Each structure stands twice: as C-alpha cells, then as structure tokens.
Amino acid sequence: LYAVERVGPVTTVTGHQARADAFRRLLDADLLRYYGIAAAMLGDSVEAQDAVHDAAVSAWRHFTDLRDEARFAQWFDRILVNTCRDRLRARRRRDVVDIGAQLDDALPVSADHASAVVAADAVERALRVLDADHLAVVVLRYQADLTVGAVAERLGVAEGTVKSRLHNALRRMRSAMDDQERER
Amino acid sequence: MSRSPEEVAIRSALERIRPTSVPSELTARLGRIPDEVGLLRPLAVRLALDVAPWALVAGVGIVLAFNPLLLVRAPSTTGSSDAGGWTAAAPGGGFADVGWFGLPWIPFLIAIGIIASTQRVARALRLRDRVPWPKSKAPPMWVRHVAITLPLIVALSAVSDHDPIVYGSVSGPGPEVTDVRSDANWFDEKDQSGWGESFGAPHYVFRLRPGDAFSYLISVRNDWPLPITVLGLSRSDYDVLAARQSAFDYMPTGLGLLRHPTYVSAEQGRVIPFHPIVLAPGDEVTLVVAASAGSCADPAGEADPATPPGVTLWDNRRLAFVYEVAGWRRVGVTYPAVGVTVPTTAGCLPGL
C-alpha cells in the first residue's frame, strides 16, 4: 500500500497564485494513488495519465466549490472515478487488454514469481469483463483499499449498493475466469 | 480481518499493475493546469445563472396569470360608443375569443418554470461534490413532470363542468322596455345544486320593430375560489347561432358596464363600453347587455308565441362568456334568472 501523505488543513487562500499553489500541493500529495486508480480502471497507462489530467482540470475549474480542503482526496477520487467511468463508457466496447503487459512497458512493477504472474494475468483479464460501475467499486475497494463506506461516499451511492456491486463483480470475474480455464 | 482467496487474488493482481511512480510528463502537465485553465464562477453564482431563465419563465407566467389584463387588448369599438356615449345600438364590442388561449399555456409556463428551477437547485445540491456533473441520457426530470402535469390539467378541466360565472343578484330592463312582469313564468336555472325552477323572476317585454336596439341588465358572480377575468361574450358561440336567431326575436350585440356600479341603470350616460374586468372570488359585476330585435319582431305580436313543432329555438337567456382563470381562457355559460321577451309576429320563423 502507499504511504499516503496527508496534507494538513489549508488556511484561507486568497488570490489566484495562492489558490493554485494549494491545488498543486493537494494534488501532488496523493498523485501516485490517483494514477494507480486510473491505471487500474482504464488498463492503459497513457489513457490513465489523460484521465488524471482531465480530472485535475475539472477539479481545478471547480476548486472554489470545495468547501473543506481537508477532504480534497475524497473529492478528487470521486472526480477521477467519474472521469474514468465516462472514458470506459465512451469506448463502447470492452477490449480484453493485457494491462499488465502494457504497464510493464511504462511503469516499474513489483516482481513476482511465475505462477503468481499467471494467476494475476487471469484476474486482470477477468477485471476487464466488468462494466465501469462494477470496476470502479473493485478498484476502490481492493486497490485503493477503501472501506465500503468510503467507496460509497466516493461513488455517491448507498453502502448496500457497493456491497451488491462487489458481490456481482466477484461473481462475474469468477465466471470469466472459469471461461478462461475452459478455453485452455 | 480474514480475506477470501478471491479477494487476495484480486488484490494481488491489482498490486501487480499498481504504478510505483508518476511519470514526470504527467507531473509537468498537472503543474501547468492552474496557469492554463480558468476557474469557474462559484457554485452559487453558476446555480443562479442556471436557474434564472427558468425562474424568469415562471415569473412571467405568474405575472400573466394574476395580471391577465396585460395580455388582453381593449375590445374594438364601433359607431359612437366612446366612453360617454354608449348606446344599445352601438355597444362597441364586448365579445372575445378563446383562440389559442384555450390551451393552458400560462399554467404550463408556470409549471415548466417552477419544475425546471427546482430540479436545477435539487440537482446542484445533490451533485455539488460530484465533478463533472454526470450527463443524464433520460429526458430532463421537468420534461417528465410536465408530460404528466399537462394531461392532468386538461383531464381535470374536461371532467369539471362547474363554470365559475353564475348569475348574480342584480337585473333590470333598459329604457326601451314596455312591460315588466313578475308572473308565473318559470325558468330553468342552473346553480351549484344543479337545475331547478324559479318562479316569479322578473320578465321584461320589449315591443320593438325589427332591428331596434334595446338593453337589459344582469349581474354575474365569480363562483370560483380563484380570480377570473371576464373578457366578454363568446364571439364564436354567438357567431354560430346568430344567423339563425337574429332572424327571429333578438340577439345580443354587445356589452356595457355601469359607469357607476351602484347606479343601476342602462340609460344613456350611465353606461360605458365593456372592457375586460377581473372578478375576485365572490365578486359580482353588473353588465348591460345590448341586443337587437330580429326580423320577426312585432310590437303587436305575441309575448309568448308557441314554438312550431320541429323547431328548436335557442334560449336567449343563455349567455356564454369568455373568461380567463390563471391565464387559461375558457367559455362559461350562465342563465340569468331574468326573462327577456321580444314579441314576434305569429307564425313568423324566417330562415329556420
């Protein structure tokens, strides 16, 4: 897990430059985590960068709407997930992408032994069968390591909905992995 | 906390694809955003700008609904019917049309404005932390609400046969009257309890020649809990029947208003040309009805001629008014408890 650097409450910010500095500081504090969420949801490192950038643009444009800057991370998570979800929906088709291979090219990843790699590949492919809503729940729950309540808050849905989506997501992934097994 | 093997596998797979550093180009792109992208106006300002057009629509609708005279043109005048010279021969209008205002445009306008405004406020409050706001593929909520509201308004209107205009407490003959009776004639009356009979109501007899003008007074009351605007007699209603009836005994030709409400007289100088008038709930107004004797009128004729078999005559007591309630123009019919008779030549029924 990442060691999340929390930023203390921001004092009253006045003026464009001070506001811009605060925004950069808040964004940089959790940037790696944001990038990880986008990469996991989109399965493409380049598109993940674009998504983080788009989310940052939206966040900056609405920065004055943020009432409590101590909640910037939660707020930005939500913006980022919405951006990724919109991008996934815009694809209109769900390609099975070997995100591990793509990210291996672009990012340094943790090493693992061969059997674990094979198993992880299967899980990654199974992730790609999920639709945007279910994928968002899985990524926030298992990668960002958020509680069900925190996931619900970020997605703007009830906790019951998160649990239901998690259950359905696992069922679909299980079914997809069974299909992969049969094809071998 | 124990984790299922599936959860462990998912965490492991996600861990594997988790980036360990942020590309420097991304960091650079993000750092430029505050310098390259402008801030939006504060949410309250954006919301106000978003709601303003719809609030304006609702506001205009409400103003028009409760100040209907803004939409009403003065009735056209003919002849010598200026403010000081109203006569039954030249009443100067007093008719109105329903036209396109027969559809509830203004209630519709108000409904659209209010629903759209509240939807926007509710959406802003619900989604204030969600950026960007998701685009809904479904029709906007206000469209759905209006799609339900409009048929409901029309349906309620269709099933409601309770006209707001009922006869009032005042009646009287014009100066042309030749006989006033309060005899055993009876009248069908429609009131809140339905149809009934009224005995001893005033009965005015005008012995006139064809084409002579005369007048009589009635009053009407607003029986609804909403203010209404009386716009005049229904032109289309009278156009349909005028050709038939004018050849017989008489036809209304216009309306006038009393110059002074408490001086109940249709004499010249006491009446002014009709103009649309707003009646608050329960309010009453006295109207001077101008009429013209038909071609069968005969000063020496029978006051109560028998109607030949197979002939249906229009009840001349029937007065169809165009009125407006909350911007919705409709026709209401009232039967004043007053009899008006123009004696006709026995057996004369030209054109019927």
Side-chain angles (χ1 to χ4, degrees):
Chain A
L1 297 178
Y2 290 108
V4 177
E5 181 190 347
R6 293 290 172 198
V7 177
V10 177
T11 53
T12 305
V13 175
T14 55
H16 179 84
Q17 192 55 48
R19 187 178 284 123
D21 290 343
F23 178 77
R24 290 190 184 100
R25 193 169 66 250
L26 290 163
L27 188 62
D28 287 345
D30 261 354
L31 185 54
L32 187 57
R33 192 173 65 86
Y34 303 140
Y35 182 40
I37 290 172
M41 283 195 69
L42 297 170
D44 183 305
S45 61
V46 175
E47 194 172 2
Q49 291 182 43
D50 290 341
V52 172
H53 178 263
D54 290 351
V57 169
S58 286
W60 168 247
R61 285 170 62 79
H62 293 82
F63 194 46
T64 53
D65 294 350
L66 183 63
R67 286 160 293 173
D68 179 6
E69 292 180 354
R71 294 176 56 80
F72 180 86
Q74 292 94 316
W75 184 64
F76 192 82
D77 277 353
R78 193 166 182 172
I79 297 172
L80 181 62
V81 168
N82 288 335
T83 305
C84 293
R85 197 158 46 182
D86 289 345
R87 282 176 167 266
L88 285 171
R89 286 172 176 160
R91 284 181 185 172
R92 292 179 180 275
R93 59 189 178 87
R94 193 177 294 113
D95 290 336
V96 176
V97 180
D98 186 349
I99 57 173
Q102 284 194 11
L103 290 172
D104 281 345
D105 295 340
L107 312 167
V109 296
S110 57
D112 207 340
H113 55 78
S115 61
V117 169
V118 171
D121 282 346
V123 174
E124 288 164 19
R125 279 194 291 274
L127 278 173
R128 296 303 115 193
V129 305
L130 300 179
D131 61 31
D133 287 333
H134 288 85
L135 185 58
V137 171
V138 170
V139 169
L140 290 177
R141 178 75 182 95
Y142 297 126
Q143 190 192 50
D145 207 26
L146 299 174
T147 63
V148 169
V151 174
E153 184 192 15
R154 279 158 174 78
L155 297 180
V157 297
E159 289 190 19
T161 305
V162 172
K163 290 176 183 172
S164 167
R165 286 182 184 173
L166 272 177
H167 175 78
N168 288 332
L170 291 178
R171 185 171 50 78
R172 289 186 199 176
M173 289 178 68
R174 196 180 304 126
S175 172
M177 291 173 74
D178 289 345
D179 291 344
Q180 291 174 33
E181 193 64 32
R182 278 193 294 274
E183 287 172 5
R184 284 182 190 154
Chain B
M1 188 180 73
S2 63
R3 288 171 174 164
S4 70
E6 283 175 333
E7 288 182 6
V8 172
I10 293 170
R11 286 176 189 278
S12 173
L14 290 171
E15 184 65 29
R16 179 171 168 262
I17 62 175
R18 189 196 299 269
T20 54
S21 64
V22 179
S24 57
E25 61 268 31
L26 175 59
T27 309
R29 286 170 70 190
L30 298 178
R32 290 195 299 270
I33 287 174
D35 300 326
E36 296 173 349
V37 179
L39 286 163
L40 293 179
R41 294 184 179 96
L43 178 65
V45 176
R46 297 202 310 275
L47 180 59
L49 292 173
D50 196 26
V51 167
W54 298 106
L56 185 66
V57 167
V60 168
I62 290 169
V63 168
L64 292 179
F66 292 98
N67 293 278
L69 298 182
L70 291 175
L71 271 185
V72 177
R73 288 178 301 172
S76 58
T77 56
T78 57
S80 59
S81 61
D82 55 46
W86 188 93
T87 66
F95 287 89
D97 292 309
V98 172
W100 284 101
F101 285 96
L103 292 174
W105 297 117
I106 292 177
F108 199 40
L109 206 64
I110 297 170
I112 287 176
I114 290 176
I115 292 173
S117 299
T118 52
Q119 288 291 333
R120 275 159 175 72
V121 172
R123 180 177 162 84
L125 294 177
R126 192 175 70 247
L127 299 175
R128 61 186 306 165
D129 289 335
R130 184 166 180 181
V131 178
W133 288 357
K135 294 175 183 173
S136 171
K137 291 179 182 175
M141 190 66 79
W142 66 267
V143 171
R144 281 176 273 170
H145 285 182
V146 168
I148 295 169
T149 306
L150 182 62
L152 195 64
I153 291 173
V154 174
L156 285 175
S157 160
V159 299
S160 169
D161 64 347
H162 182 60
D163 285 323
I165 300 177
V166 299
Y167 61 85
S169 56
V170 177
S171 65
E176 306 85 0
V177 71
T178 51
D179 189 14
V180 176
R181 305 196 310 227
S182 180
D183 54 20
N185 284 331
W186 56 269
F187 301 94
D188 292 328
E189 290 179 3
K190 189 182 181 187
D191 56 19
Q192 292 89 331
S193 60
W195 287 94
E197 294 176 356
S198 175
F199 293 88
H203 192 168
Y204 310 129
V205 179
F206 296 85
R207 294 189 176 278
L208 303 168
R209 291 185 173 79
D212 284 353
F214 67 101
S215 59
Y216 59 96
L217 298 99
I218 59 155
S219 66
V220 293
R221 192 177 75 247
N222 174 15
D223 199 37
W224 268 16
L226 292 172
I228 65 168
T229 308
V230 180
L231 299 170
L233 295 170
S234 169
R235 194 192 318 274
S236 58
D237 196 81
Y238 284 89
D239 282 350
V240 170
L241 296 164
R244 295 179 61 196
Q245 200 75 17
S246 62
F248 183 54
D249 55 355
Y250 74 94
M251 269 296 294
T253 55
L255 288 178
L257 293 168
L258 294 180
R259 179 179 295 280
H260 194 285
T262 58
Y263 199 111
V264 182
S265 168
E267 292 172 1
Q268 191 167 5
R270 298 293 178 188
V271 184
I272 60 172
F274 179 83
H275 56 77
I277 188 162
V278 177
L279 291 181
D283 269 8
E284 189 169 322
V285 63
T286 301
L287 302 170
V288 182
V289 180
S292 173
S295 60
C296 286
D298 181 355
E302 298 177 50
D304 298 304
T307 304
V311 173
T312 302
L313 290 176
W314 182 39
D315 186 348
N316 275 330
R317 290 183 302 115
R318 176 185 188 277
L319 292 174
F321 290 97
V322 174
Y323 67 93
E324 209 170 70
V325 56
W328 192 355
R329 199 170 288 188
R330 310 181 71 197
V331 173
V333 176
T334 186
Y335 291 81
V338 58
V340 175
T341 297
V342 174
T344 56
T345 305
C348 175
L349 290 168
L352 296 177

